[in-house]
Amino acid sequence: MSDQLDIDAMLTRFRERAEVAKQRTLPPVGGEERRRVMQQRELDYMDFAIVGDASWTFEGGVLTLSVDFNPPAEES
């Protein structure tokens, strides 16, 4: 399986999907429907961006994606 799966390419696709979700134009809707569309767009962006930023390992047939939610260390 691992020889057929390009994890780096998959993560790149998720980063691209995050940008598409972020740039997605809103359909001509208003009110409650507009709010739901905007909320879904934000969730799509967050989900795709999180996966796109993951590091990965593939050991014993198990793909593990790791996401560090710690803020970056400040440089002195």
Side-chain angles (χ1 to χ4, degrees):
M1 174 76 179
S2 65
D3 58 334
Q4 299 172 351
L5 185 60
D6 185 346
I7 305 301
D8 290 321
M10 179 189 79
L11 296 177
T12 297
R13 289 190 300 273
F14 270 89
R15 286 189 291 274
E16 291 169 353
R17 288 176 182 146
E19 284 306 309
V20 168
K22 188 177 182 180
Q23 307 286 329
R24 188 181 305 151
T25 59
L26 294 174
V29 295
E32 181 63 22
E33 186 176 0
R34 179 180 178 86
R35 187 191 65 73
R36 283 194 311 268
V37 169
M38 289 184 69
Q39 183 179 31
Q40 186 62 52
R41 182 175 79 174
E42 291 171 6
L43 290 173
D44 288 347
Y45 170 74
M46 183 176 61
D47 292 346
F48 289 133
I50 288 170
V51 174
D53 286 344
S55 58
W56 62 274
T57 59
F58 190 85
E59 297 174 11
V62 177
L63 171 64
T64 303
L65 299 177
S66 298
V67 179
D68 185 352
F69 285 101
N70 294 308
E74 292 185 24
E75 294 182 26
S76 299

